Amino acid sequence: MSKQFDVIVIGGGPGGYVAAIRAAQLGFSAACIDEWKNDKGGPAPGGTCTNVGCIPSKALLQSSEHFEHAEHSFADHGIGLSNLTINVAKMLGRKDAVVKQNNDGILYLFKKNKVTFFHGRGSFLKAGDAGYDIQVSGAADEVITGKHIIVATGSNARSLPGAAFDEDKILSNDGALRIGAVPDTLGVIGSGVIGLEMGSVWRRLGSEVTVLEGLPTFLGAVDQQIAKEAHKAFTKQGLMIELGVKIDKVTAGKSSVTITYTNAKGAACKLEVDKLIVSIGRVPNTIGLNAEAVGLKLDERGAITVDDDCRTNLPNVWAVGDVVRGPMLAHKAEEEGVAVAERIAGQHPHVNFNTVPWVIYTSPEIAWVGQTEQQLKAEGREFKAGTFPFLANGRARAMGDTTGMVKMLADAKTDEILGVHIVGPFASELIAEAVVAMEFKASAEDIARICHAHPSLSESTKEAALAVDKRTLNF
Ligand code: FAD
Ligand code: NAI
């Protein structure tokens, strides 16, 4: 007889591993199957996020930011340096060590919470009286049975037609995190989150980076006042961003890649670069899941169809994270994973998509929650806006990092906060206050009346709240 579990999670990324841990905390027998292998063929749970996404990209962003500070801003502090060098192999080694710490941390958490881990691929075999039979193929081949199945198989990078990833010259996020030497020239197709983060890493280290974006608007989903400020900062740093282009052809040669494209004015252009990162979005991953065996329904994008509660078309089969609709973010995947485990336990959790924060970890960082000014205008909702520049913030001046602003949008009548948008230092940390405020349906006045530490960047959030009522104290 096969091993029986109350809950089997297929996929050990942030959606899956967290769902398995929460299920175990709730008293269920829980298993998690994940196929990711480290360079020695061993298990590397944590998914895209841990292995080729959030964690390694932030490790390289940190290293390259140190380098840029050493090169450009240490002198302002009276710190002299000569013969500054970057050892790319060491930087990549540090990044790999950070990834491994996270992989090992998840294996430890599985043990601590009594989650049974299977290293291999999980695929549906059939539905029966005891639940769903799942084939595990990997280090050991076996069939396990689960009353509830949570699918958390994530996503893969989308390639450009006719330009498959070779991870040597045409790079997905995977190759972009493993470039062995600073390329003289780097092309990036897509000025979204990955394009800007990875483009920043290699620009800081000395590459000449050109970003080609299909849409005519820079960061169209971001509040446009914030996006314009960010565009100005990136351009000043030397990132070359061309908007409104149409990519015609990508050809990988022996030592370079040639991109022919039509620019926004309709002119035929050619760009030759040492390496090319293609970051034009991601596609849900159901490869090898054998969804057909049980009739699991996918939508036209290949995502698993789910309702608001992450229920699929099959009884007791759930799906969370990048493989379903909604933003492809690790924290969104985690919230869904926890919520599903709690629903299986009969609880009534709720994931509020309107308060899922977004962060782009460039310098300046960009972070936001809630609605943008352009969305509110399109809805015809009356609102008040308050902004406060970091230039007028004492801590930002002391840090020497005064680019950007905090912008708060509040309902014109009730003063409820509808959105907060930040471009500037530590926006990724500052946004947490805005998320809490919005979860508790705070008004701008609530934030304006709260005592914020001085000197701190968070005073800019308070001042933006005061600005909503046209009464900033420091600007
Ligand atoms: P994944 O993390 O993709 O995990 C899915 C797992 O399932 C993988 O380990 C896969 O091997 C496994 N799997 C798939 N099929 C099977 C199967 N049949 N059997 C067994 N195992 C299987 N998000 C943020 O919130 N913040 C960031 O800073 C951020 N940075 C990013 C940077 C980059 C470069 C990239 C590419 C993404 C980034 N993301 C970030 C997005 C984030 O990584 C994803 O939203 C998140 O990983 C989704 O989690 P998931 O659990 O749904 O899927
Ligand atoms: P993205 O959706 O952020 O950006 C893709 C960009 O490529 C868009 O601006 C789009 O207009 C452009 N594009 C699409 N097709 C094109 C074409 N043919 N030619 C030129 N431009 C084209 O996708 P990206 O950067 O690949 O990242 C995928 C996802 O991973 C993100 O949406 C996000 O969910 C997640 N992520 C999150 C991070 C974070 O939270 N800090 C960091 C990195 C990734």
Side-chain angles (χ1 to χ4, degrees):
M1 190 162 130
S2 66
K3 284 182 194 143
Q4 308 276 322
F5 293 93
D6 295 324
V7 179
I8 295 176
V9 184
I10 306 178
Y17 88 78
V18 165
I21 289 173
R22 186 70 188 119
Q25 285 176 345
L26 289 162
F28 295 116
S29 59
C32 182
I33 313 168
D34 187 82
E35 64 180 344
W36 208 293
K37 289 185 182 136
N38 61 25
D39 53 8
K40 296 190 179 70
T48 301
C49 169
T50 302
N51 293 294
V52 290
C54 324
I55 301 299
S57 60
K58 267 79 251 177
L60 295 189
L61 279 157
Q62 191 64 53
S63 300
S64 58
E65 192 164 10
H66 283 323
F67 183 80
E68 183 155 76
H69 282 317
E71 195 174 26
H72 296 296
S73 42
F74 275 16
D76 295 341
H77 297 260
I79 304 169
L81 274 178
S82 55
N83 297 327
L84 183 69
T85 58
I86 177 74
N87 180 334
V88 174
K90 188 151 185 190
M91 177 183 79
L92 296 182
R94 175 187 173 276
K95 179 255 311 176
D96 292 341
V98 172
V99 167
K100 186 165 185 313
Q101 278 170 3
N102 283 271
N103 296 141
D104 292 348
I106 295 166
L107 290 171
Y108 160 79
L109 291 173
F110 281 158
K111 266 207 187 105
K112 180 182 159 198
N113 289 283
K114 302 195 172 47
V115 171
T116 308
F117 176 65
F118 294 90
H119 188 211
R121 173 166 285 188
S123 44
F124 283 101
L125 275 180
K126 63 178 168 52
D129 294 340
Y132 293 86
D133 283 353
I134 304 293
Q135 172 74 50
V136 182
S137 325
D141 277 4
E142 59 184 302
V143 176
I144 59 176
T145 306
K147 278 190 214 148
H148 287 265
I149 309 296
I150 305 176
V151 181
T153 46
S155 62
N156 293 316
R158 186 153 79 86
S159 61
L160 266 176
F165 296 119
D166 58 19
E167 303 301 1
D168 173 37
K169 288 195 190 59
I170 304 178
L171 312 172
S172 70
N173 55 295
D174 190 358
L177 290 158
R178 289 192 282 111
I179 301 176
V182 180
D184 290 338
T185 52
L186 174 70
V188 178
I189 300 184
S191 73
V193 197
I194 295 180
L196 292 173
E197 289 188 355
M198 296 316 300
S200 293
V201 165
W202 297 104
R203 181 204 56 75
R204 290 168 185 170
L205 299 177
S207 294
E208 190 182 295
V209 180
T210 307
V211 184
L212 301 175
E213 165 60 43
L215 292 177
T217 312
F218 181 64
L219 289 176
V222 175
D223 186 281
Q224 281 304 291
Q225 191 178 358
I226 298 293
K228 283 199 177 88
E229 189 78 10
H231 187 268
K232 208 165 62 186
F234 298 148
T235 308
K236 198 169 153 201
Q237 290 163 2
L239 209 59
M240 289 171 282
I241 305 169
E242 270 205 63
L243 301 173
V245 310
K246 186 184 158 292
I247 306 295
D248 297 316
K249 200 169 174 207
V250 173
T251 318
K254 261 202 184 127
S255 58
S256 66
V257 188
T258 307
I259 306 115
T260 52
Y261 64 97
T262 310
N263 74 9
K265 291 184 183 135
C269 303
K270 195 160 131 179
L271 175 72
E272 194 178 336
V273 288
D274 296 337
K275 304 270 181 194
L276 175 69
I277 298 173
V278 177
S279 46
I280 56 168
R282 297 178 63 80
V283 286
N285 169 37
T286 52
I287 299 166
L289 191 59
N290 202 19
E292 324 74 68
V294 286
L296 182 63
K297 213 169 133 194
L298 310 184
D299 68 17
E300 61 294 344
R301 288 173 44 249
I304 295 175
T305 307
V306 288
D307 67 9
D308 289 350
D309 290 345
C310 294
R311 284 187 178 84
T312 68
N313 65 312
L314 301 174
N316 299 341
V317 178
W318 312 74
V320 301
D322 280 11
V323 77
V324 305
R325 84 288 173 262
M328 288 185 169
L329 294 173
H331 40 286
K332 174 265 193 183
E334 287 186 33
E335 293 303 320
E336 286 183 335
V338 167
V340 164
E342 293 178 349
R343 272 180 206 121
I344 292 172
Q347 299 181 5
H348 301 281
H350 176 63
V351 179
N352 182 357
F353 276 79
N354 191 42
T355 52
V356 172
W358 276 85
V359 179
I360 307 178
Y361 293 82
T362 42
S363 179
E365 290 184 345
I366 303 167
W368 71 98
V369 59
Q371 286 169 288
T372 60
E373 184 165 336
Q374 61 266 25
Q375 281 173 329
L376 293 174
K377 281 184 177 151
E379 260 179 33
R381 184 143 183 192
E382 284 183 38
F383 65 92
K384 301 174 283 184
T387 56
F388 187 80
F390 285 110
L391 199 62
N393 174 277
R395 181 77 194 280
R397 284 187 195 137
M399 288 164 62
D401 199 351
T402 53
T403 309
M405 69 178 93
V406 179
K407 172 172 181 175
M408 189 174 286
L409 301 169
D411 185 272
K413 287 197 188 74
T414 65
D415 198 38
E416 181 183 342
I417 300 171
L418 303 174
V420 177
H421 306 272
I422 307 174
V423 54
F426 292 105
S428 55
E429 301 296 331
L430 293 173
I431 202 65
E433 179 183 10
V435 175
V436 174
M438 285 187 62
E439 270 295 340
F440 285 89
K441 297 206 171 298
S443 62
E445 185 185 350
D446 288 329
I447 298 297
R449 285 186 182 277
I450 290 171
C451 180
H452 288 66
H454 176 78
S456 73
L457 297 170
S458 71
E459 287 173 291
S460 302
T461 309
K462 179 187 170 103
E463 290 276 2
L466 285 165
V468 168
D469 198 29
K470 298 196 172 39
R471 55 186 183 97
T472 47
L473 295 164
N474 286 288
F475 186 61

